[in-house]
């Protein structure tokens, strides 16, 4: 319900800004234009409000009714349409009403529990985030991959004739946090060395995204965990500001204000003819749909048995390394979760960045993942330079087992080779003796 409430609020906030932008220094809109504007708002709201509590539905319909518009018939019922000022007042009062509806406050009252084991072990905390990711897409139902052929990390030929994503459910990508995340992806200049210009609308999109993910299980757990560890403020508003600073503060890679943690990790950047960052499956999918992302094959898993080392069928893998070009520029190796929600990835990377080290081996469901975090020190603040998942290297125990298995295999092969040679030698000796005996008998019988 909190997702829906935040989505409704964002709809009204966005339309207030749109109305102000479209009416500034322009002639008054015609009655038809006003009618179309209200019908569009009703359509945007209608897709969310149907499953909202009855109190919310009554509030919104009453506000529409006050300006002479019937939500059910999607048309006005007064002789004259409302003025621009009346529509602005309608939008503002509806937004104010949504902020006071009790269900919006009650939805966030569920207690997040953190065990002492999780506080003592970052890996267990990360695995809890995986368990809390109720918004994660389901392989086979919500999406399918076509990994095609693999390659080694140093190989640069195209091993995939087709796209990476065979199918992704459009309805899944329209979920509130997914939609808010997607709205951020076109806010950046791709090339480093090109300073970013952030508009008020883009700042509002950042805030809306943070508001939405803060209402989810993974981010609430992340906040509670970091607060318990003394790594983040306990107040929700202060933690939202921490998230904004960590991910959206602009800093310098090649020129002033040409990059940010969010841009590098989730959007991707172009630097000297190569792609850097871009560790998010949603961005990969959207760019592939636009025709600018060319998947060139997966990188063989390092620790799961080489070419045949995936745990799941190739259409349902949820952590992969891959090679691709983006508008013709190569990324030799990138890694990404697949199907995970924006809130999970933000929570996981934030948790590891603030509570972990530069390299963190953690468990995420069935995957042993290495979460790598690089810091940027900017004007006295520690910001995210990069943060991304990849397959974890072998543990000391697993490495020892693998070495021992290889040694045993080599020993068996040597023993087998010696036994084979001994057998051949015995067969040859027996054949020689038998041949001599047969020759002797033949000569005797001939004489």
């Amino acid at each position: 319900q909190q997702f829906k409430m935040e989505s409704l609020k964002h709809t009204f906030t966005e339309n207030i800004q749109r109305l102000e932008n479209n009416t500034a220094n322009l002639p008054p809109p015609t009655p038809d234009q006003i009618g179309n504007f209200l019908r569009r708002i009703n359509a945007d709201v209608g897709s969310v409000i149907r499953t909202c509590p009855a109190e919310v539905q009554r509030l919104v319909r009453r506000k529409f009714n006050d300006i002479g518009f019937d939500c059910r018939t999607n048309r006005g019922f007064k002789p004259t349409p409302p003025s621009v000022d009346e529509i602005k007042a309608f939008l503002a009062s509806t937004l104010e009403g949504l902020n006071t509806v009790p269900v919006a406050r009650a939805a966030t009252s569920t207690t997040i529990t953190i065990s002492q084991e999780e506080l003592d072990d970052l890996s267990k905390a990360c695995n809890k985030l995986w368990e809390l990711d109720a918004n994660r897409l389901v392989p086979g139902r919500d999406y399918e991959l076509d990994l095609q052929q693999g390659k080694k990390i140093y190989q640069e030929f195209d091993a995939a004739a087709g796209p990476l994503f065979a199918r992704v459910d459009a309805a899944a990508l329209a979920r509130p946090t997914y939609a808010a995340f997607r709205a951020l992806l076109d806010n950046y200049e791709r090339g480093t060395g090109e300073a970013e210009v952030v508009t008020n609308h883009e700042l509002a999109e950042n805030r809306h995204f943070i508001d939405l993910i803060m209402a989810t299980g993974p981010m609430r757990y992340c906040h509670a965990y970091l607060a318990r560890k003394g790594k983040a403020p306990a107040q929700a508003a202060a933690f939202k500001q921490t998230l904004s600073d960590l991910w959206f503060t602009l800093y310098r890679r090649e020129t002033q204000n040409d990059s940010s943690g969010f841009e590098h990790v989730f959007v991707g950047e172009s630097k000297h003819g190569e792609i850097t960052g871009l560790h998010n499956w949603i961005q990969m999918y959207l760019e592939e749909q636009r025709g600018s992302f060319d998947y060139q094959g997966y990188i063989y898993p390092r620790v799961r048995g080489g070419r045949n080392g995936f745990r799941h069928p190739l259409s349902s893998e949820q952590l992969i390394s891959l090679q691709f070009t983006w508008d013709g520029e190569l990324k030799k190796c990138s890694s990404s979760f697949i199907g995970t929600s924006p809130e999970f990835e933000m929570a996981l990377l934030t948790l590891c960045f603030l509570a972990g080290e530069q390299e963190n081996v953690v468990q995420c469901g069935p995957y042993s993942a290495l979460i790598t975090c690089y810091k940027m020190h900017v004007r006295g603040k520690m910001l995210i330079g990069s943060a991304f998942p990849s397959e974890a290297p072998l543990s000391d125990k697993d490495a020892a087992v693998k070495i021992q298995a290889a040694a045993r295999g080599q020993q068996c092969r040597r023993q087998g080779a010696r036994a084979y040679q001994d057998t051949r030698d015995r067969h040859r000796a027996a054949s020689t003796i038998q041949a001599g005996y047969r020759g002797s008998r033949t000569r005797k019988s001939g004489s």
Side-chain angles (χ1 to χ4, degrees), residues 129-426:
L129 290 177
W130 181 274
E131 294 172 1
L132 289 170
D133 189 15
N135 215 17
R136 183 170 59 247
L137 271 57
V138 178
R141 186 193 73 184
D142 298 320
Y143 74 90
E144 289 184 13
L145 298 180
D146 184 8
L147 289 182
Q148 300 164 73
Q149 300 299 313
K151 60 172 73 174
K152 295 182 179 179
I153 193 169
Y154 58 82
Q155 296 175 314
E156 296 183 11
F157 64 92
D158 192 346
L164 170 62
F165 293 92
R167 178 182 62 84
V168 177
D169 183 13
L173 293 182
R175 297 172 186 176
T177 56
Y178 285 78
F181 176 82
R182 290 169 60 187
L184 306 180
L185 298 177
D186 62 356
N187 291 349
Y188 299 94
E189 300 294 336
R190 192 173 78 184
T192 58
E194 298 180 60
E196 302 290 347
V197 177
V198 183
T199 67
N200 289 332
H201 179 69
E202 290 170 350
L203 290 174
E205 288 181 333
N206 293 347
R207 290 192 296 269
H208 174 59
F209 175 65
I210 291 175
D211 286 342
L212 279 180
I213 64 174
M214 278 294 292
T216 67
M219 277 308 305
R220 291 172 58 214
Y221 180 90
C222 173
H223 179 207
Y225 186 94
L226 291 171
R228 286 276 299 275
K229 299 278 283 187
K231 302 291 186 179
Q235 297 78 15
F239 184 62
K240 288 180 182 180
Q241 186 60 52
T242 297
L243 290 175
S244 180
D245 291 342
L246 280 177
W247 287 102
F248 296 107
T249 297
L250 296 177
Y251 51 72
R252 177 191 183 99
R253 288 195 192 270
E254 292 194 355
T255 192
Q256 186 175 4
N257 294 340
D258 66 342
S259 185
S260 69
F262 185 90
E263 178 185 8
H264 182 83
V265 174
F266 294 109
V267 182
E269 298 178 293
S270 172
K271 184 176 182 180
H272 305 312
E274 293 187 350
I275 300 302
T276 63
L278 211 177
H279 298 281
N280 179 257
W281 72 272
I282 299 174
Q283 170 72 338
M284 293 177 184
Y285 169 71
L286 294 175
E287 290 301 312
E288 190 170 72
Q289 290 295 294
R290 295 186 185 101
S292 59
F293 179 96
D294 181 17
Y295 169 64
Q296 299 199 343
Y298 65 89
I299 304 300
Y300 292 138
R302 292 177 298 170
V303 300
R304 287 188 272 163
R307 301 184 182 199
N308 300 314
F310 286 108
R311 278 193 179 86
H312 307 291
L314 296 186
S315 62
S316 58
E317 191 68 16
Q318 291 185 285
L319 176 59
I320 65 171
S321 295
L322 68 158
Q323 189 176 103
F324 61 84
T325 62
W326 188 18
D327 280 334
E329 295 181 326
L330 179 67
K331 174 82 174 186
K332 292 182 179 180
C333 182
S334 185
S335 51
S336 175
F337 283 110
I338 305 292
T340 47
S341 70
E343 57 265 32
F344 167 79
E345 295 193 22
M346 287 285 287
L348 176 69
L349 299 180
T350 301
L351 190 72
C352 289
F353 183 82
L354 291 178
E357 306 296 333
Q358 180 169 302
E359 294 186 343
N360 309 276
V361 176
V362 300
Q363 195 67 30
C364 292
Y367 299 101
S368 179
L370 173 65
I371 309 299
T372 304
C373 304
Y374 293 113
K375 300 175 181 178
M376 292 285 287
H377 296 276
V378 181
R379 297 183 290 276
K381 292 183 178 181
M382 183 179 66
L383 307 179
I384 292 174
S386 185
F388 56 91
S390 60
E391 290 182 302
L394 289 172
S395 66
D396 291 344
K397 180 179 178 180
D398 290 339
V401 169
K402 189 170 184 178
I403 292 170
Q404 291 165 0
R408 286 194 299 270
Q410 187 178 43
Q411 184 179 24
C412 288
R413 287 190 292 274
R414 286 175 178 172
Q415 290 174 347
R418 285 197 296 269
Y420 175 72
Q421 187 63 43
D422 290 345
T423 301
R424 288 189 64 185
D425 290 344
R426 286 196 298 271

